[in-house]
Amino acid sequence: MEIKRLDKLPEKIIIPLRQHRGAVCEPLVKKGDRVLVGQKIGDSDAYYSSAVHSSVCGEVIAIEESAHPDGNKAMSIIIQPEDSNEAVEFSPGKDLSSEELAELIKESGIVEHYGMPTHTVLKPKGKNIDTVLINATSSEWIGGTFKTPKEYASHGINALKLLMKTAGAKKGAIVLRTDDEESINAFESIEVDNKKIKVAPLLGGRRIGYYFKEQDSGIIVVSQKHIYGKKILNFFTYNVTGRKVKVGCDPTDVGVAVCGVKSAKAFYNAFNTGKPFYETVISIEGVSADLEYMQVKIGTPFKDVIEACGFTGDIGKLIANGVRTGVAQYTDQVPVTKGVTRISIQKPEEVIRDESIECIHCARCVDVCPVELIPSRLAVMADQGRFDECRQIYIENCIECGDCAAVCPSKIHILQLIRYAKDAIEMAYEDLPAKESSNLKLGCGCGGE
Ligand code: SF4
Ligand code: SF4
């Protein structure tokens, strides 16, 4: 698989000041300023925030609201690039304490792909982390911008050590997918602390606790069969560690920090080269039969990515982050942000524009829901603003997989309705205590560590 690099400069780079959850950054530059590659151009004093950087050398031509890939608008710094790679001086980190490493992550603008600033995952206020997991189940080595599988393995282990030091955790694990043989072979070809790695499968009741003991090591690599996306952190944590995460809580509440391959690699780069997070690798779907991969500067408009892929012809729909659960875009001027992992292009004839009709109570959505919710009821309650009742039937357990909407013969926009209700609940119920999960897969009592 080849990663192309988008070197052609776009007419403008758009850097939203909100590319993470938490406080929005304040601009550190003004219209007319010249900025350099890697220069910090937005920041916030708030702990729950993350800096933003210029990905090009050029002039700030505006600071204004602009389209954001989440479907809203966000205040953004617009830069007209100049034909120069002049960059700020990057200084690698060395001998940093846990606090200094966390500060390096914040300063480098490193965030998880689900939006949490990575330093807040590793050092959440008022909580202790004892285990760090790198979730490598959904991205093979290529997705993390590593040049070779072997580089992925060695950098991955070193990144895990850095993450553990930041969190003050004694244990860490990289979780691969059982069918990702290339990655498994790569990890089994390297050593940790002069010992060959043996990738251990998580089978039956054996979770990582078993292998920490068996391998007598604080760092292990394991594999299991599922793909765990960004909304499935609680299940991932349970399946890997055996620790149940209550509804409304996250893995940090049970002492676990879950990081992605991309953020781990970005941290590794920031530590070793001093370079902040201003470039990312995304996949592009719809140009050819296979996915295309491209390394792009953060802030590059979708239009320039699409052109660089050689796509010609009419576009019916542009979607950020996957056809099933992503967000359709109303303009191709929307920029690639830290949270964008995929651009999907649909031709006009591929776009499905079905009108939704009434629920026919077929229960197909119930059958497919992987977390045993009742999506049809959630959709009705969300539509009617009955958020209390949504919470009573565990809407927070929804992992936003979109399977319910995909099978619904009435074409009801179930996922959108659920997301709408979850957002409303998050704003209204922030202070309520966490509840025990009703979910059978979480609460089956089938074991733990
Ligand atoms: S999106 Fe639908 S199918 Fe998927 S977890 Fe949520 S309710 Fe269940
Ligand atoms: S799949 Fe659609 S039509 Fe069938 S019960 Fe669920 S919401 Fe209703």
Side-chain angles (χ1 to χ4, degrees):
M1 225 183 298
E2 182 202 358
I3 300 180
K4 293 180 191 157
R5 204 185 141 89
L6 177 47
D7 283 324
K8 188 175 166 222
L9 289 170
E11 268 176 37
K12 59 183 179 182
I13 284 278
I14 303 157
I15 310 283
L17 290 160
R18 172 176 58 76
Q19 297 190 48
H20 51 268
R21 287 161 72 173
V24 177
C25 292
E26 294 292 331
L28 301 176
V29 291
K30 57 185 187 318
K31 187 176 170 189
D33 283 356
R34 183 169 184 261
V35 293
L36 305 182
V37 176
Q39 182 177 331
K40 187 166 76 167
I41 55 174
D43 202 359
S44 163
D45 290 339
Y47 186 67
Y48 283 88
S49 189
S50 185
V52 294
H53 302 79
S54 175
S55 53
V56 291
C57 173
E59 182 187 334
V60 175
I61 53 171
I63 300 177
E64 61 188 21
E65 284 212 319
S66 188
H68 191 285
D70 69 4
N72 297 303
K73 287 193 163 187
M75 196 55 79
S76 306
I77 297 174
I78 321 286
I79 303 165
Q80 188 172 51
E82 61 183 67
D83 193 12
S84 161
N85 284 327
E86 196 179 344
V88 293
E89 198 177 320
F90 299 121
S91 36
K94 51 182 178 210
D95 298 330
L96 300 182
S97 67
S98 159
E99 281 68 29
E100 289 166 335
L101 285 168
E103 187 58 27
L104 173 67
I105 296 173
K106 183 172 187 278
E107 279 289 301
S108 304
I110 298 166
V111 302
E112 295 303 314
H113 68 308
Y114 54 93
M116 282 304 283
T118 299
H119 66 283
T120 68
V121 173
L122 295 165
K123 285 189 111 49
K125 291 239 154 138
K127 303 175 195 171
N128 284 323
I129 297 297
D130 58 46
T131 305
V132 176
L133 304 177
I134 295 182
N135 177 4
T137 60
S138 60
S139 51
E140 284 84 1
W141 62 272
I142 199 82
T145 76
F146 299 92
K147 290 193 181 73
T148 62
K150 191 146 187 180
E151 181 187 289
Y152 169 33
S154 62
H155 288 195
I157 292 290
N158 288 327
L160 179 61
K161 287 180 178 172
L162 281 173
L163 294 167
M164 288 165 63
K165 185 173 179 191
T166 308
K170 294 262 183 306
K171 296 194 184 312
I174 296 177
V175 186
L176 305 171
R177 222 175 49 240
T178 310
D179 63 358
D180 182 7
E181 283 177 24
E182 197 168 29
S183 299
I184 291 174
N185 291 338
F187 275 94
E188 292 198 331
S189 71
I190 63 167
E191 295 183 346
V192 174
D193 303 331
N194 301 321
K195 273 201 323 202
K196 274 257 178 227
I197 288 179
K198 176 80 192 120
V199 178
L202 297 178
L203 294 172
R206 285 188 184 175
R207 295 193 166 88
I208 52 171
Y210 176 89
Y211 291 108
F212 281 128
K213 281 188 205 134
E214 190 196 68
Q215 297 187 12
D216 190 23
S217 170
I219 292 181
I220 56 171
V221 184
V222 296
S223 70
Q224 52 78 68
K225 63 180 182 182
H226 300 290
I227 294 178
Y228 287 95
K230 59 185 174 182
K231 299 282 181 181
I232 319 180
L233 296 182
N234 293 2
F235 291 90
F236 175 74
T237 301
Y238 175 70
N239 281 348
V240 173
T241 67
R243 298 182 194 175
K244 284 188 211 169
V245 184
K246 290 178 180 176
V247 177
C249 295
D250 65 59
T252 61
D253 290 296
V254 295
V256 178
V258 182
C259 297
V261 173
K262 263 192 189 181
S263 55
K265 167 72 169 159
F267 184 22
Y268 178 90
N269 284 349
F271 182 80
N272 287 291
T273 68
K275 286 189 182 176
F277 188 18
Y278 62 80
E279 281 192 326
T280 187
V281 173
I282 58 170
S283 57
I284 301 103
E285 181 181 29
V287 178
S288 60
D290 297 320
L291 285 177
E292 311 244 344
Y293 288 86
M294 192 168 279
Q295 183 165 353
V296 300
K297 294 174 173 54
I298 288 171
T300 304
F302 279 23
K303 174 176 174 284
D304 296 86
V305 179
I306 295 163
E307 279 175 10
C309 288
F311 183 87
T312 51
D314 293 338
I315 295 175
K317 204 182 213 181
L318 259 187
I319 303 164
N321 292 337
V323 170
R324 186 175 277 202
T325 60
V327 178
Q329 304 298 313
Y330 61 89
T331 169
D332 60 5
Q333 289 300 327
V334 67
V336 173
T337 59
K338 295 171 189 174
V340 171
T341 53
R342 178 171 297 183
I343 297 175
S344 303
I345 308 165
Q346 291 185 335
K347 296 183 183 128
E349 61 274 21
E350 292 169 338
V351 178
I352 301 166
R353 296 188 196 277
D354 289 324
E355 288 289 318
S356 59
I357 57 170
E358 275 195 15
C359 172
I360 57 168
H361 306 291
C362 65
R364 284 186 208 174
C365 55
V366 181
D367 286 345
V368 296
C369 179
V371 292
E372 301 172 12
L373 297 173
I374 309 173
S376 52
R377 279 185 68 194
L378 285 171
V380 170
M381 290 171 179
D383 199 25
Q384 296 174 352
R386 293 156 59 194
F387 303 133
D388 274 330
E389 290 161 80
C390 286
R391 199 164 187 268
Q392 281 161 15
I393 57 170
Y394 303 99
I395 193 169
E396 292 105 321
N397 263 5
C398 170
I399 55 173
E400 300 183 18
C401 64
D403 287 358
C404 49
V407 299
C408 177
S410 297
K411 307 296 175 199
I412 295 168
H413 303 298
I414 306 173
L415 179 57
Q416 271 77 3
L417 288 163
I418 289 175
R419 280 182 174 158
Y420 161 66
K422 281 173 82 175
D423 284 348
I425 289 166
E426 199 173 307
M427 283 188 275
Y429 292 96
E430 268 174 355
D431 299 330
L432 281 188
K435 298 197 303 183
E436 282 295 340
S437 170
S438 72
N439 187 279
L440 295 177
K441 285 177 185 161
L442 272 177
C444 61
C446 64
E449 280 183 297

